[in-house]
Amino acid sequence: MLLLRAVLLLLVLPTHGQDSVTEGPGVLLPLAKQACTVCLAGIPGHPGHNGTPGRDGRDGTPGEKGEKGDPGLVGPKGDSGETGVTGVEGPRGFPGIPGRKGEPGESAYVHRSAFSVGLESRVTVPNVPIRFTKIFYNLQNHYDGTTGKFHCNIPGLYYFSYHITVYLKDVKVSLYKKDKAMLFTYDQYQEKNVDQASGSVLLHLEVGDQVWLQVYGDGNSYGLYADNVHDSTFTGFLLYHDTD
């Protein structure tokens, strides 16, 4: 590189015939300054140092929106959130398909106990069970017409009622359970008139309990009456039996 620069320097140096003019015989004069304008440029110098960076320019205008990128990978499952408020009840759905028919169950045994009886003649004896001998219903034979008492064979709740025709005398009737009066009925006879008296009660009975009607008090209160057109009746039946 140095050699190349030396050669170039020799080429641009002026010769004596070119670099001077003669003023006269034997005198050489230097060329005028203006003559250097035709000379070649010198060897380029070394590059200078980089200048300090200039200030940042202003922000450019936003570019157009790019295309939607590909979906990212599914992230890990987050923690469960708090339970929300219960929503409004929705509309009722359609009925479901009917289920299969069940197997036949065991037949239930029906407990029965009932009677309905009436008087066939006037009662004149007080303080003893009244014998109702006119039988309307006594299929289970739980009423004994010879004693006038109902005998409990099925424990449970029973309904008893009586309807009495009153004639010629006042009537005092009581319904007994196991030698204890449970219900009292009194009716005062009206002269030359046929009157009526009645009563009803629910009683729980155990097996072996007995229920009957009888006149209580003195012998002047036995006005129970019955004939072919007037009846005095005594009825009872089981409502439901004990399950235990």
Side-chain angles (χ1 to χ4, degrees), residues 103-116:
E103 298 180 357
E106 298 180 359
S107 59
Y109 178 77
V110 179
H111 297 272
R112 293 183 176 90
S113 179
F115 72 95
S116 183

Side-chain angles (χ1 to χ4, degrees), residues 23-45:
E23 186 180 12
V27 181
L28 294 174
L29 296 175
L31 293 174
K33 273 187 178 182
Q34 291 78 3
C36 290
T37 57
V38 297
C39 297
L40 296 176
I43 298 173

